[in-house]
Amino acid sequence: MNSNLIWLVALPLIGSAVAAIVVRYKFLDRLITFLTFATTLFVLFSVHVGQSYSWGLNFLGTTLNLTLNVSHLSIFMLYISIAFGTVLTFYSLIDHSRMKGFLLLLILAANNWIFMSNDMVGFFFAWELMGWASVVSVLGGREREKSRHAALYYMIMSVSGSYSMFFGIFTLWRLTGTFSISANIAYLSSIVGIHPWWVLGIVSLFFVTFMIKAGIFPFHTWVPLAYAYSPDAFTPFLSAVMSKYGIYGMLLFMPLSLMERGFPSAFGGVPWTNYIFVWIGVITAVLGTVLAIFQDDVKKLFAYSSLSNLGYVVAAIALFTPVGITAGIFHAFNHLLFKGTLFITLLAVISRSGTSKLSEMGGLWKKMPITFFTFFVGIASAAGIPPFNGFGSKWLIYQAMIKQHLPFATILLFLASTGAFMYLFKAFHSIFLGQLSHDYDRVKEVSAVGKITEFFLMFAMTFFGVQPGYILKPIGAIVKSMGLKPLPVMANGYVTGMFSNIYVPLISWSLAVSFTLGFILFFVSAKHKYVSQENNYTAGQIPEDWGLTPETYQFSWNFYQPVEKLFAPFFRIKIDGFFRGTGDWTKTIGSAIKEIFVGNAQMYAFFAIVGLIIFVIAGWMA
Amino acid sequence: MSQSQWSELVNYFRGRSMWMLHYCTGCGAIELPPVMTSRWDMERFGIIPMATPRQADILLITGYLSIKTLKRVVYTYDQMSTPKWVLGFGSCTINGGIYWDSYNVIDRLDKYIPVDIYIAGCMPRPEAIMDSFIKLREMVQKGEAKGYEKYTKNYEWYKANQDHVFGRSEPVLRKAEEVTKSA
Amino acid sequence: MTILLKLIQGIGVGALSIAVGLLFIGIGRKITARIQRRYGPPPIQNFFDIFKLLSKRSISHGFAFDLGLIAGFSALLAAVVFLPMGQINIFPHNSSLIMIIYLMTMAYLGMAMGVSSSGNPNATIGIARALTMMMGYEVPFAAVIFSVYIFSRTGSLANIVAAQSGGFLNWNLVRLPFGFVAAEIALQGMLGEKPFDMTIAPSEIASGPMVEMGGKYLGFGMLQHSIGLFIETGIMVDLFLGGASNIWIFIAKQFVLYFAALMINAIMPRFRIEEGVSFMWKFPLLLGVVQALIVVL
Amino acid sequence: MLKYVKTLNSMGLKARPLGDWEFEVLTPKERVAETLSYLKGSGFETFIHLMCVDWIDDGEFELVYNVESYGEAIQALVKTRIPREKPSMMTMMNLWGLCQVYEREIHEFFGIKFEGNPNLEQFFLENWMDLPPLRKDFDTKEFSEELFGFKEDESHGIKAPERIEYK
């Protein structure tokens, strides 16, 4: 019995209550949020693997045991999520978005509960708490109408996911009579050889929920909306931490080694259920990338980018090999770090420029140099460029895929990676590079708090890039706890894939030496002088008489027009082929799907009723 | 290695690699394709055409310059980094050529920017252009082509000449009162 | 002591790659001139050019411009030391191909950042074209390298070279012919030679990324190009032509590849961007996929 | 072609053929719009050019509207004369929007005001304050000497050619 576990949940709840009281005083609200996060992180230091806590709850005459249990995976997730939350809340102490601190604390409570919970009732309750709190959080975006629509959409998706999970939980309970997650998984793995289809069905119910939360194809539709229209200070948390709940859930069920015993193998020794899942991940990665290339709203762009990265993670963990799981969790961590950083810098940029449209920004690097560098390190990480942190995990993912002899999936992932470089550069250029508009002459760099945070994040991204061992060791423990052989992590930074090795510090040293040489050559050669941005091909002459302004020279509209032309046939297929279809049948189905996704009040009501029916059936079966 | 030896070396290399920005204003531009292509092939002297003033060492003005064009030429010249040289091509740059009494075409280029070598002729043959390249190369290697230094030293004079053309604030001719401003 | 030795070796390899790259481009200019029935510049012309550029004054648009150009050059310099070339192999246990490719990506990112920070739209258009083209050629190239990975059961270039030892018939060129053709076409795009030179289109976008670069900046760009040429052809030699027993043979093999690319360059017009990408995704990718299928099945 | 000439003559205008494919119409200033709209209605849909001739001795400007019928491959020159003193003309923009640019150019080089044309700002010239340069009474040589400082025997040893006097 370790009562410190209960504090991890109780503290944020208390903090949330206090913050809710002072919600009118914005700074106080933020301060309490930050302090609660920091305290929770402090409490977390006393938590160790293997601790557990449980208490009984009298529910309708039966006693329900709520259990908290700390596994290797949970403590890893707890650390990264709370640490990131602390950084974020520290940063957002003085921002101007309409995020409510108490909602974030509610999510934190749910977050800790989800990661520690070892019973499905608690898990489900925490999941719901997290879902509703985040739905309400999304409501406070800059554009009220759109954020309301996004929140509604998100709510529908999240509720339907919850029904699915609810159904799954009660089915399992009826079969085993217990709510304990570990016991249920043990039960499932014992019957997987006998009734594979049953197990598949039950697990799918859970996986739908997790895929919705992680935004995996085909349940990705809520992601861009919710990310783009949520409050700017909340989006980092939404993207960095909350998308990982789905991954966590999948990892819980992965040790079933899914259908290895019940189903034949597909290519490369991967069970075919996993194989399908790998492809779902790959499709998500490619889809997210391609759609991100065409976005003009920067938050939407990075929403699709998150989609793409989670696709990578899913593809890697679905392999369920030591390299795959390591790569997947490592990438999930890296995604948390760099995408959190990117969204934090976006928060800074959007609050200063007042717009999230890429075509309206530009040239901010002279005004916000530190934010610019943070963003640069962020996109370098996201593009997987050594020595920053995204590289190791992407490299490992390729290794894992190749090890299973899946070249086509790997090629597509590589395409997604190159495409990632494209959209990242598009965002980078359109925000920071290019011509500075006169509208932004008075833009200032972030405050001291912001600078500290940005320096810290830059340091973190470089540190975990150069020394991946610090993060690969705990991941190794997780892999071991799943019953697999962990990757040999020789020294900090020496990563052994199955196909080749990299020694990341060596890359960093090589880069350091070559940059020194580059700088020496640069300063030895002839002098240069600095000129203004107007002194380029217009020769310092701004032909205002012709109605042209500096912004006219900012090239950010239709940035990848040739690519759009290239993909135009595919977009046509989507609209014409899918919805309008070749016959009435397709038409009907198409319009039905359209109804669901477009969503009017009747459809939502219909959803609620269907959910209710599922609920009743589940109850009856129980 | 002493200072002078070093600059000698630098000048040698500069002479061996001269990149050209051709500012094609008049009819003379048609003489350049044979110079660039297989008939005369200026690349064998390390001279290649460049697309922007940033990259260029030679500014080749191929023909007459109206006032508006001259303004752009001056901008272009200012955008080039030192060392830089100007070649005036054809009679038009020397004395206005057939446009000698035009109301809109300047007569002598080196009033406005320093010209290192003039190529006479209307139009000069490609051989003349090649010859001017060789001359320029000899001058550069001997350290004689110093037009850009002249420009810096006598900037006031050049600037005054430029402003005289660009910045007119009153009519040039005395019959100003007869101008039908009401028209 | 070993560290110092490796450092000196690394710098030596960097210098070698620059020299070889510049010489290649010079010889390439001469050959192109001869194909076009011109006399052409001397083969060492590029050394004159580099010297002149580094000694010429230049303009800059700010620290991002400086840093970007330095990054473009240095990251490639950092990548070249991991390339096994003949008997020169400084870090034999660290020659993962994907690592080298991603290191090169850093150079492109740096370059892109530098030239775009100048604010010249022509530069950005060039970069957008380059990135689009990169998406085009990396896909068939990825197909090929993953086929080679699976075929050789290793992802380290040094081991791939070792796996091809023992005569011409063991070369991947013979064993994986479709992959070689696909990679050769991808190489054309990588080197930015015609018909895939839409990035640097002097008449349309004023030489694209290089539009604001002059003096030493352009010099850094040229150095980057020459090292890039060295690495890209070097990777191809290691992947398909069985590496080499010493550095001279290695350079000779590289030159053979570059020569082939030059020949195509000299007689081809230019693709439009989306044509280039869709070409890359049709013929070379098909070959790459066929090769991957053959390897896997 | 002759039918147009005949019709135009019957309208009281002086029209005569100039060759196989061209005829001219002399109209007073007030009837230009009428003539041009008649021609446009009968197939001369393409406006080619607007020219101006300075008849300095007559004290008149002559405006020449050049229109073409692609269907019959013939051109018509509609000529009108306006006095040199305070020259003005009504715009033809309602017939051809293209006229806007030509009229702007004519205004720039001859100083003819086109009533109804919204934009008669400088087009080719910059910062021009002298007489409109294509008028016959504008002395380009003197202007050139004054502004560009050109002297005929200036150190180059090249003698400038004799100036052709236009009558």
Side-chain angles (χ1 to χ4, degrees):
Chain A
M1 282 299 176
N2 304 88
S3 56
N4 53 356
L5 297 188
I6 199 75
W7 279 111
L8 277 182
V9 182
L11 246 175
L13 286 177
I14 296 166
S16 168
V18 178
I21 293 167
V22 296
V23 74
R24 278 169 181 279
Y25 308 99
K26 200 166 163 186
F27 180 72
L28 213 55
D29 177 35
R30 297 287 170 86
L31 187 66
I32 291 168
T33 313
F34 166 63
L35 290 177
T36 317
F37 261 96
T39 325
T40 316
L41 189 59
F42 187 71
V43 173
L44 187 59
F45 290 142
S46 67
V47 173
H48 300 290
V49 178
Q51 287 182 334
S52 67
Y53 184 87
S54 70
W55 76 98
L57 202 68
N58 208 329
F59 178 68
L60 299 178
T62 49
T63 310
L64 205 60
N65 275 320
L66 295 185
T67 327
L68 298 179
N69 185 23
V70 181
S71 69
H72 283 283
L73 183 59
S74 13
I75 197 142
F76 181 75
M77 293 306 237
L78 280 173
Y79 262 111
I80 62 174
S81 57
I82 298 177
F84 178 76
T86 314
V87 174
L88 172 68
T89 45
F90 178 65
Y91 181 86
S92 60
L93 277 178
I94 41 163
D95 85 301
H96 304 292
S97 74
R98 293 197 289 133
M99 187 187 70
K100 302 270 189 298
F102 74 91
L103 288 173
L104 198 57
L105 288 178
L106 274 184
I107 298 176
L108 175 66
N111 170 73
N112 297 350
W113 199 349
I114 288 173
F115 286 149
M116 290 188 300
S117 176
N118 193 26
D119 66 292
M120 290 184 174
V121 175
F123 189 84
F124 183 73
F125 182 75
W127 193 270
E128 284 301 285
L129 180 65
M130 175 269 295
W132 287 104
S134 59
V135 165
V136 180
S137 294
V138 169
L139 273 176
R142 270 176 307 121
E143 292 161 89
R144 226 169 248 266
E145 200 50 49
K146 280 180 175 165
S147 68
R148 195 178 299 160
H149 178 243
L152 195 61
Y153 200 97
Y154 177 30
M155 187 187 82
I156 297 298
M157 292 297 269
S158 146
V159 164
S160 43
S162 301
Y163 284 137
S164 165
M165 181 153 83
F166 193 78
F167 193 50
I169 287 173
F170 274 88
T171 317
L172 270 182
W173 184 57
R174 196 174 146 71
L175 288 171
T176 60
T178 171
F179 281 119
S180 160
I181 293 178
S182 47
N184 275 318
I185 289 176
Y187 169 74
L188 282 178
S189 53
S190 70
I191 65 162
V192 72
I194 313 159
H195 303 295
W197 286 103
W198 262 103
V199 177
L200 181 63
I202 294 168
V203 173
S204 309
L205 287 174
F206 285 91
F207 263 55
V208 166
T209 322
F210 300 145
M211 280 160 79
I212 289 174
K213 196 46 83 179
I216 303 298
F217 175 84
F219 304 109
H220 62 280
T221 38
W222 66 272
V223 173
L225 287 176
Y227 283 25
Y229 302 119
S230 56
D232 299 331
F234 178 62
T235 324
F237 199 77
L238 190 60
S239 166
V241 177
M242 294 187 62
S243 60
K244 305 297 175 300
Y245 299 147
I247 303 296
Y248 173 76
M250 290 179 199
L251 282 171
L252 276 186
F253 282 88
M254 275 299 167
L256 277 181
S257 176
L258 261 177
M259 310 303 146
E260 211 165 55
R261 280 154 278 185
F263 285 101
S265 297
F267 298 102
V270 185
W272 68 260
T273 41
N274 284 32
Y275 188 72
I276 291 172
F277 220 62
V278 168
W279 273 99
I280 288 178
V282 170
I283 291 170
T284 313
V286 175
L287 188 79
T289 305
V290 173
L291 289 175
I293 290 173
F294 305 125
Q295 299 307 314
D296 187 41
D297 187 305
V298 63
K299 285 176 79 181
K300 253 188 192 167
L301 188 150
F302 280 109
Y304 278 117
S305 156
S306 295
L307 197 67
S308 163
N309 277 298
L310 286 163
Y312 268 91
V313 175
V314 167
I317 61 174
L319 291 173
F320 204 70
T321 57
V323 197
I325 293 281
T326 312
I329 300 176
F330 191 24
H331 197 69
F333 165 75
N334 285 340
H335 176 249
L336 176 134
L337 191 52
F338 65 67
K339 198 50 64 68
T341 309
L342 287 173
F343 272 117
I344 283 178
T345 49
L346 286 184
L347 162 63
V349 169
I350 293 175
S351 70
R352 270 154 188 77
S353 68
T355 175
S356 63
K357 290 261 172 293
L358 282 173
S359 47
E360 291 170 8
M361 298 192 228
L364 288 172
W365 68 274
K366 277 179 185 162
K367 298 284 173 190
M368 312 169 79
I370 296 170
T371 313
F372 163 71
F373 268 114
T374 318
F375 196 83
F376 174 73
V377 176
I379 67 162
S381 301
I385 290 174
F388 304 114
N389 68 344
F391 167 64
S393 52
K394 271 196 178 174
W395 184 80
L396 274 176
I397 289 174
Y398 294 136
Q399 300 287 326
M401 302 288 276
I402 284 296
K403 172 119 195 298
Q404 302 310 119
H405 288 207
L406 300 170
F408 302 115
T410 324
I411 293 165
L412 282 177
L413 280 187
F414 205 79
L415 167 71
S417 169
T418 321
F421 194 58
M422 287 174 73
Y423 66 70
L424 290 169
F425 184 74
K426 174 184 176 178
F428 187 46
H429 166 266
S430 302
I431 297 172
F432 287 106
L433 306 173
Q435 298 270 351
L436 178 69
S437 162
H438 286 311
D439 297 350
Y440 302 134
D441 278 347
R442 292 160 78 195
V443 164
K444 284 204 187 75
E445 178 59 289
V446 289
S447 59
V449 172
K451 279 179 196 157
I452 294 170
T453 321
E454 288 179 349
F455 277 123
F456 174 76
L457 286 169
M458 269 196 270
F459 169 75
M461 282 188 285
T462 321
F463 178 78
F464 288 116
V466 179
Q467 298 285 335
Y470 284 102
I471 212 74
L472 282 175
K473 266 179 195 159
I475 294 176
I478 297 171
V479 173
K480 204 170 180 183
S481 73
M482 287 182 178
L484 296 170
K485 193 169 155 286
L487 278 193
V489 179
M490 307 287 184
N492 280 331
Y494 193 72
V495 187
T496 314
M498 291 299 117
F499 272 81
S500 52
N501 315 318
I502 47 169
Y503 186 50
V504 191
L506 190 65
I507 303 175
S508 323
W509 277 113
S510 165
L511 279 169
V513 170
S514 65
F515 266 76
T516 317
L517 290 176
F519 272 104
I520 289 172
L521 188 61
F522 183 77
F523 286 112
V524 162
S525 26
K527 280 183 193 136
H528 59 276
K529 67 173 184 213
Y530 290 107
V531 296
S532 80
Q533 65 166 6
E534 265 94 24
N535 189 355
N536 59 35
Y537 83 115
T538 59
Q541 195 188 18
I542 303 295
E544 267 142 4
D545 311 348
W546 313 340
L548 297 178
T549 49
E551 299 94 81
T552 328
Y553 297 122
Q554 166 72 352
F555 179 72
S556 52
W557 183 252
N558 263 354
F559 199 81
Y560 289 122
Q561 207 215 358
V563 190
E564 264 172 67
K565 246 187 224 169
L566 202 66
F567 281 102
F570 297 100
F571 289 136
R572 259 205 307 280
I573 286 169
K574 186 179 133 203
I575 297 160
D576 300 349
F578 186 62
F579 285 134
R580 266 172 236 138
T582 47
D584 288 314
W585 188 80
T586 327
K587 234 178 214 171
T588 323
I589 300 288
S591 61
I593 290 170
K594 208 169 162 188
E595 286 280 295
I596 294 167
F597 284 101
V598 172
N600 51 22
Q602 286 91 336
M603 280 318 293
Y604 297 143
F606 174 72
F607 259 109
I609 291 166
V610 169
L612 203 65
I613 292 167
I614 293 172
F615 186 85
V616 170
I617 292 171
W620 178 77
M621 280 178 76
Chain B
M1 197 185 281
S2 71
Q3 187 71 35
S4 66
Q5 273 173 322
W6 173 251
S7 63
E8 219 166 86
L9 186 74
V10 169
N11 280 337
Y12 175 75
F13 281 113
R14 281 176 182 169
R16 290 300 298 264
S17 157
M18 297 190 291
W19 292 352
M20 177 193 73
L21 178 72
H22 41 295
Y23 198 97
C24 298
T25 60
C27 37
I30 203 66
E31 298 294 329
L32 281 175
V35 180
M36 292 173 195
T37 50
S38 50
R39 186 76 169 86
W40 277 278
D41 184 25
M42 69 185 188
E43 199 186 352
R44 64 197 149 117
F45 301 116
I47 303 169
I48 44 176
M50 279 290 158
T52 76
R54 303 283 189 218
Q55 307 162 348
D57 307 305
I58 305 175
L59 180 60
L60 182 72
I61 312 280
T62 69
Y64 68 87
L65 291 170
S66 71
I67 297 175
K68 262 187 173 175
T69 338
L70 178 68
K71 197 184 252 176
R72 274 73 196 177
V73 167
V74 173
Y75 281 139
T76 309
Y77 184 71
D78 286 343
Q79 277 200 324
M80 288 167 64
S81 316
T82 53
K84 53 187 172 184
W85 306 287
V86 181
L87 292 186
F89 174 103
S91 319
C92 294
T93 51
I94 301 173
N95 61 0
I98 59 165
Y99 306 101
W100 63 281
D101 66 344
S102 166
Y103 58 91
N104 206 21
V105 174
I106 60 148
D107 288 336
R108 266 186 64 183
L109 180 58
D110 62 3
K111 271 188 163 180
Y112 311 102
I113 53 173
V115 178
D116 291 282
I117 290 182
Y118 275 120
I119 312 166
C122 181
M123 310 191 311
R125 297 264 312 152
E127 290 94 330
I129 305 175
M130 296 304 294
D131 189 45
S132 78
F133 285 148
I134 303 296
K135 279 267 156 47
L136 184 65
R137 173 165 153 181
E138 282 165 11
M139 283 167 69
V140 168
Q141 288 184 345
K142 281 183 203 152
E144 287 168 0
K146 292 284 180 194
Y148 56 95
E149 283 180 9
K150 206 165 94 188
Y151 188 69
T152 330
K153 253 180 231 159
N154 306 317
Y155 184 67
E156 285 78 24
W157 187 77
Y158 284 110
K159 183 74 181 147
N161 283 344
Q162 290 164 8
D163 286 347
H164 179 62
V165 177
F166 300 146
R168 280 168 293 154
S169 56
E170 52 188 27
V172 177
L173 296 181
R174 283 177 305 283
K175 289 186 211 155
E177 55 274 15
E178 290 174 22
V179 177
T180 47
K181 269 290 160 194
S182 59
Chain C
M1 199 58 218
T2 34
I3 293 173
L4 198 65
L5 192 70
K6 295 269 176 198
L7 190 68
I8 292 166
Q9 276 179 338
I11 293 171
V13 164
L16 178 80
S17 67
I18 290 173
V20 171
L22 286 176
L23 194 67
F24 272 17
I25 301 171
I27 298 173
R29 281 170 74 176
K30 187 89 181 169
I31 291 172
T32 313
R34 285 299 166 85
I35 293 171
Q36 294 168 348
R37 298 199 168 194
R38 289 187 286 123
Y39 184 76
I44 51 166
Q45 178 64 45
N46 277 55
F47 294 94
F48 299 150
D49 288 348
I50 279 291
F51 194 90
K52 182 215 54 184
L53 284 172
L54 293 181
S55 72
K56 188 176 161 76
R57 296 242 176 163
S58 47
I59 58 102
S60 167
H61 284 272
F63 68 87
F65 193 72
D66 305 349
L67 193 69
L69 271 296
I70 295 171
F73 164 69
S74 307
L76 282 187
L77 203 60
V80 77
V81 297
F82 295 105
L83 183 74
M85 34 189 139
Q87 81 273 42
I88 301 178
N89 193 355
I90 307 176
F91 304 110
H93 302 300
N94 285 279
S95 55
S96 169
L97 179 53
I98 295 182
M99 178 190 80
I100 294 176
I101 289 175
Y102 270 99
L103 257 176
M104 288 169 71
T105 314
M106 172 148 195
Y108 301 138
L109 180 64
M111 178 87 171
M113 178 183 87
V115 299
S116 302
S117 71
S118 71
N120 194 322
N122 281 329
T124 317
I125 292 170
I127 292 295
R129 286 178 174 203
L131 293 181
T132 311
M133 200 55 235
M134 191 163 141
M135 192 171 80
Y137 63 70
E138 293 246 312
V139 176
F141 195 65
V144 173
I145 58 177
F146 292 134
S147 312
V148 176
Y149 265 37
I150 295 173
F151 183 74
S152 312
R153 299 183 182 283
T154 173
S156 148
L157 273 178
N159 295 345
I160 290 175
V161 171
Q164 299 177 61
S165 60
F168 175 72
L169 287 178
N170 282 340
W171 289 6
N172 283 341
L173 166 65
V174 180
R175 291 172 166 185
L176 307 169
F178 297 118
F180 175 71
V181 175
E184 188 62 27
I185 300 172
L187 179 72
Q188 193 81 8
M190 259 185 232
L191 295 174
E193 304 282 5
K194 284 171 192 142
F196 305 109
D197 68 333
M198 55 289 269
T199 303
I200 299 162
S203 47
E204 299 160 34
I205 49 173
S207 68
M210 282 130 60
V211 64
E212 282 296 303
M213 288 152 64
K216 61 183 165 188
Y217 297 92
L218 192 55
F220 272 90
M222 267 181 82
L223 290 178
Q224 186 196 344
H225 181 60
S226 59
I227 307 175
L229 174 71
F230 187 85
I231 298 180
E232 281 150 8
T233 49
I235 288 174
M236 282 292 286
V237 170
D238 280 344
L239 276 183
F240 286 103
L241 302 188
S245 56
N246 69 48
I247 184 72
W248 305 114
I249 296 176
F250 187 79
I251 291 174
K253 284 181 178 174
Q254 275 179 311
F255 185 73
V256 169
L257 289 175
Y258 183 58
F259 188 73
L262 268 180
M263 287 295 168
I264 301 169
N265 176 43
I267 55 165
M268 280 284 185
R270 186 187 300 147
F271 269 135
R272 261 200 341 252
I273 306 109
E274 74 268 19
E275 282 173 352
V277 176
S278 58
F279 175 79
M280 282 290 187
W281 286 0
K282 276 174 199 156
F283 189 59
L285 185 59
L286 186 72
L287 284 175
V289 166
V290 167
Q291 190 63 74
L293 271 178
I294 293 172
V295 168
V296 173
L297 296 179
Chain D
M1 187 174 79
L2 285 174
K3 65 179 179 196
Y4 298 118
V5 175
K6 215 170 273 175
T7 319
L8 284 164
N9 276 327
S10 72
M11 283 164 72
L13 301 167
K14 278 183 213 160
R16 66 184 174 95
L18 294 174
D20 293 343
W21 52 275
E22 202 175 23
F23 65 91
E24 67 167 9
V25 194
L26 304 179
T27 66
K29 180 182 165 188
E30 297 78 34
R31 295 192 65 183
V32 172
E34 183 199 335
T35 317
L36 284 174
S37 59
Y38 161 72
L39 284 172
K40 191 182 181 188
S42 41
F44 291 81
E45 283 181 345
T46 313
F47 180 83
I48 296 181
H49 209 130
L50 169 62
M51 290 159 278
C52 182
V53 186
D54 188 359
W55 297 101
I56 192 163
D57 297 340
D58 302 354
E60 280 178 335
F61 285 125
E62 186 176 58
L63 287 172
V64 184
Y65 292 85
N66 188 355
V67 292
E68 176 163 3
S69 159
Y70 275 167
E72 301 179 49
I74 46 177
Q75 289 190 6
L77 301 173
V78 179
K79 298 181 176 176
T80 182
R81 290 213 173 191
I82 53 175
R84 255 178 134 258
E85 291 302 313
K86 303 224 173 198
S88 79
M89 182 70 200
M90 52 292 267
T91 176
M92 294 297 143
M93 275 174 65
N94 43 5
L95 285 176
W96 289 280
L98 185 63
C99 290
Q100 199 269 326
V101 189
Y102 287 109
E103 289 170 359
R104 189 174 163 187
E105 185 189 348
I106 297 286
H107 173 262
E108 185 169 22
F109 285 103
F110 290 92
I112 298 172
K113 186 169 184 193
F114 286 88
E115 283 151 15
N117 192 322
N119 184 7
L120 288 174
E121 285 159 22
Q122 282 186 348
F123 191 25
F124 290 103
L125 303 173
E126 255 180 12
N127 217 359
W128 190 265
M129 285 160 205
D130 291 84
L131 272 181
L134 290 189
R135 286 189 174 202
K136 286 278 164 66
D137 51 353
F138 174 76
D139 191 345
T140 57
K141 187 184 168 202
E142 194 186 340
F143 181 88
S144 179
E145 277 173 9
E146 191 69 33
L147 184 62
F148 307 123
F150 179 74
K151 302 286 177 290
E152 286 192 13
D153 51 351
E154 193 189 59
S155 68
H156 300 291
I158 306 162
K159 182 103 173 74
E162 278 301 308
R163 190 149 186 263
I164 303 158
E165 290 295 327
Y166 296 96
K167 288 278 155 49

